[in-house]
Amino acid sequence: MGEPRPDAGPNAGPDIGKDQCDLLDSLRRGRPAAGQDPVKRSQIIDGARRVFIDKGFEAASMNDITREAGVSKGTIYVYFANKEELFEALIEEERGTIFKNMYDMLDRADDLRQTLVKFGKVLSLKITSAKVIQAQRTVIGASDRIPDMGARFYERGPKRGHDRMVAFLNAAIERGLLKIDDVDLAAYQFTELCLAGLFRQCIFAYRTKAPSQEEIDHIVRSGVGMFLKAYGTERLAEEESHQMIALEAKR
């Protein structure tokens, strides 16, 4: 499971006492305690990002990351126990930056079709971005040797997003706008309709560039149309008809 943290051996007791003293001293002086400096942590993660992109997960070593980040090996082990832990921290940071607040738009669903279109376009755009494709490839490559890491990646990212979509669809069902027997399956279907082959083309490098906004818009609108044709109710059709009449009256 990667390069382990250097072991303190049988004399660990005094070291622990020293660490506690160092922690108190750091707090008194107003400096971050060992392993708590966000700037140093970010420096290590930035170095790791460059190494993982250049070498991939398997070939990257903690020595490589140490050199790239410009820190000592002792420092890097204060923050991360091994390469796997560092990689997962990097993925979590990237995910937080890329997907931040994306699912919040599902909390504002006055117009079901427009909400699905807006969300689908953002979802498709982000999933096919170069950063996300690179991260997915790295995780897939590492998951064969470390399946637990792949499972955690799915649970903390795609699974959470899927659960938010399930909750959104259930709310639409309660409003009488959708009729779905298997909501879990429908949530997966919606994602696939919004990507319509784009993810596979990107992950296998069949595409060398991310899809354009225009292409994504076309695919998502078509996918949402199919989704609502399959699961939309008469009440949804009536609401959309009224919206159309109101829009025409304003023109």
Side-chain angles (χ1 to χ4, degrees), residues 43-81:
Q43 180 181 343
I44 295 169
I45 288 179
D46 286 343
R49 180 184 293 106
R50 293 190 291 271
V51 172
F52 285 131
I53 289 175
D54 181 51
K55 293 176 176 276
F57 178 82
E58 289 293 339
S61 71
M62 290 295 262
N63 285 331
D64 295 328
I65 296 168
T66 295
R67 286 192 296 271
E68 187 65 31
V71 298
S72 69
K73 199 165 187 179
T75 296
I76 207 169
Y77 279 118
V78 167
Y79 288 82
F80 303 99

Side-chain angles (χ1 to χ4, degrees), residues 36-145:
Q36 301 299 317
D37 185 348
V39 175
K40 183 66 67 177
R41 187 176 188 276
S42 179
Q43 180 181 343
I44 295 169
I45 288 179
D46 286 343
R49 180 184 293 106
R50 293 190 291 271
V51 172
F52 285 131
I53 289 175
D54 181 51
K55 293 176 176 276
F57 178 82
E58 289 293 339
S61 71
M62 290 295 262
N63 285 331
D64 295 328
I65 296 168
T66 295
R67 286 192 296 271
E68 187 65 31
V71 298
S72 69
K73 199 165 187 179
T75 296
I76 207 169
Y77 279 118
V78 167
Y79 288 82
F80 303 99
N82 50 46
K83 184 173 70 171
E84 288 81 359
E85 186 177 297
L86 176 50
F87 178 69
E88 290 191 52
L90 169 61
I91 292 297
E92 285 299 311
E93 182 175 287
E94 294 285 348
R95 190 184 352 253
T97 300
I98 295 171
F99 293 97
K100 183 179 181 181
N101 301 327
M102 186 181 79
Y103 289 92
D104 290 351
M105 67 180 68
L106 295 179
D107 297 331
R108 304 181 295 275
D110 295 334
D111 186 321
L112 179 61
R113 185 181 297 268
Q114 283 303 107
T115 299
L116 288 174
V117 168
K118 289 179 181 177
F119 177 76
K121 287 165 66 174
V122 173
L123 177 69
S124 184
L125 182 68
K126 290 181 181 293
I127 286 181
T128 58
S129 68
K131 272 191 172 183
V132 173
I133 291 297
Q134 180 62 49
Q136 297 264 13
R137 287 173 180 159
T138 305
V139 171
I140 291 169
S143 294
D144 187 47
R145 189 171 69 86

